[in-house]
């Protein structure tokens, strides 16, 4: 399989680390890498020992977001937006998602080819989450650039995009205070926790998180699924014969490719993990991508198996930080893959373009995935 041959996924490194050093110090830096499933899940779920908040005094909006909070603040913040992600609310978006997908594929059909990333996997979730937030689609390309910078490895770009997003969402929040609308930003502006409004930093952090998390995971899930189907003829044949297998196939994409590869935690109190002593304020990097290939949990983990059952992958996190938009990501991806296979069952990857990952340790994201449709 091509993704193994060209080093897109560091499966051999993960395997070696799980075997030889499952909890590994990083060059005496006071930080640790964690690779085994049981250890990764333990860090995810034990928020009393492993904090999501990197720097409690940080003024970065992301540090004030749901992603970087522990209980009770996390519970309060999550409750504020959970109403927008109920099963009923998400299902109500299906016709809109189908309409957007059809429009994107209509455009691609005119050309007879498309870049799955730029022409389908990226715009679809961005349009959906932008409409939920209530922001203008004229900035769609900027949203994508901001998202890529926020999960990329360029620290200067990370800081710059937070500054730009802060200015953008601060202006929108001010507008919603004067002119309320039926959107998520208005609800955030009007929200109260213990009779107190959200701070400006919390509102901006929420908006940034929802915009980025609302598109990055789904973009990478769709593009990885398209790559897997193209690379495995037997999988394509099964999905064409039985569309009900698509949800299971997407769960295997979550496991095998792990759109989010690694997450961060801070040690709140001295503890032991995997026989190693972790001290207060040390940092922990939990490799979900490695955990999802752990031989102790998954039979033949390096085989892409759409019939894997059970499939307890950690591709969407675990515990209180399990992805709030998981149902939305699954539905968008299912609709996109169903539509692509229905209209272009014989699509094939343009192999003149080499596969390459975006410069991001955190995400598994293809830079491009050009396909020929007929």
């Amino acid at each position: 399989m091509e993704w193994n041959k060209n080093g897109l996924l560091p499966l051999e490194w993960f395997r070696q680390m799980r075997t030889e050093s499952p909890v590994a110090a990083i060059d005496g830096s006071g930080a640790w890498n964690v690779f085994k499933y049981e250890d990764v899940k333990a860090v995810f779920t034990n928020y009393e020992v492993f904090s999501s908040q990197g720097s409690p005094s940080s003024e970065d909006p992301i540090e004030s977001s749901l992603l970087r909070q522990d209980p009770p603040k996390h519970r309060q913040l999550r409750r504020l937006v959970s109403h927008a992600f109920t099963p009923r609310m998400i299902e109500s978006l299906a016709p809109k998602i189908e309409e957007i997908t059809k429009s994107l594929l209509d455009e691609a059909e005119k050309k007879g080819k498309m870049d799955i990333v730029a022409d389908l996997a990226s715009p679809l979730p961005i349009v959906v989450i932008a409409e939920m937030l209530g922001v203008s689609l004229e900035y769609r390309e900027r949203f994508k650039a901001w998202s890529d910078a926020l999960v990329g490895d360029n620290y200067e770009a990370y800081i710059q995009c937070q500054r730009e997003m802060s200015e953008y969402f601060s202006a929108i929040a001010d507008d919603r205070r004067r002119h309320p609308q039926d959107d998520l930003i208005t609800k955030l502006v009007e929200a109260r926790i213990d009779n107190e409004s959200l701070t400006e930093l919390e509102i901006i952090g929420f908006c940034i998180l929802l915009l980025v998390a609302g598109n990055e995971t789904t973009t990478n899930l769709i593009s990885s699924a398209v790559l897997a189907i193209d690379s495995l003829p037997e999988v394509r044949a099964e999905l064409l014969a039985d569309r009900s297998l698509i949800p299971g196939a997407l769960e295997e994409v979550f496991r095998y490719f792990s759109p989010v590869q690694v997450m961060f935690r801070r040690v709140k109190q001295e503890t032991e993990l995997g026989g190693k002593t972790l001290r207060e304020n040390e940092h922990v990097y939990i490799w979900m991508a490695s955990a999802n290939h752990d031989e102790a949990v998954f039979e033949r983990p390096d085989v892409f198996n759409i019939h894997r059952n059970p499939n307890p992958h950690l591709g969407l996190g675990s515990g209180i930080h399990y992805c709030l938009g998981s149902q939305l990501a699954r539905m968008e991806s299912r609709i996109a893959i169903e539509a692509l296979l229905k209209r272009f069952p014989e699509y094939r990857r343009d192999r003149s373009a080499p596969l390459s990952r975006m410069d991001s340790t955190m995400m598994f994201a293809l830079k491009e995935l050009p396909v020929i449709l007929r």
Side-chain angles (χ1 to χ4, degrees), residues 22 26 48 108 117 129 164 185 193 218 226 229 269 274 280 308 327 335:
I26 305 175
E48 294 181 351
V117 177
I129 201 66
E164 292 176 1
I185 294 181
I193 295 179
T218 307
V226 172
I229 293 167
Q269 62 190 54
E280 184 178 356
R308 193 177 295 277
Q327 185 186 357
I335 289 172

Side-chain angles (χ1 to χ4, degrees), residues 36-97:
K36 288 185 70 66
Y37 185 98
E38 63 177 347
D39 294 331
V40 169
K41 189 165 186 178
V43 175
F44 257 130
T45 54
N46 191 354
Y47 57 81
E48 294 181 351
V49 174
F50 299 100
S51 173
S52 296
Q53 196 156 10
S55 175
S57 61
S58 174
E59 290 298 306
D60 287 351
I62 282 293
E63 292 297 329
S64 297
S65 75
L66 185 67
L67 183 70
R68 294 297 193 198
Q69 296 297 317
D70 300 324
K73 190 69 171 182
H74 173 272
R75 190 179 305 114
Q76 295 167 331
L77 291 174
R78 187 170 178 119
R79 191 180 301 132
L80 284 179
V81 292
S82 60
H83 64 87
F85 293 92
T86 62
R88 178 177 294 181
M89 287 294 293
I90 297 305
E91 284 299 326
S92 73
L93 294 173
K96 181 66 175 178
I97 295 169

Side-chain angles (χ1 to χ4, degrees), residues 270-284:
E270 186 172 305
T271 188
E272 282 203 3
L273 185 71
K276 302 298 176 72
T277 300
L278 281 57
R279 294 180 171 80
E280 184 178 356
N281 287 327
E282 290 186 329
H283 294 166
V284 180

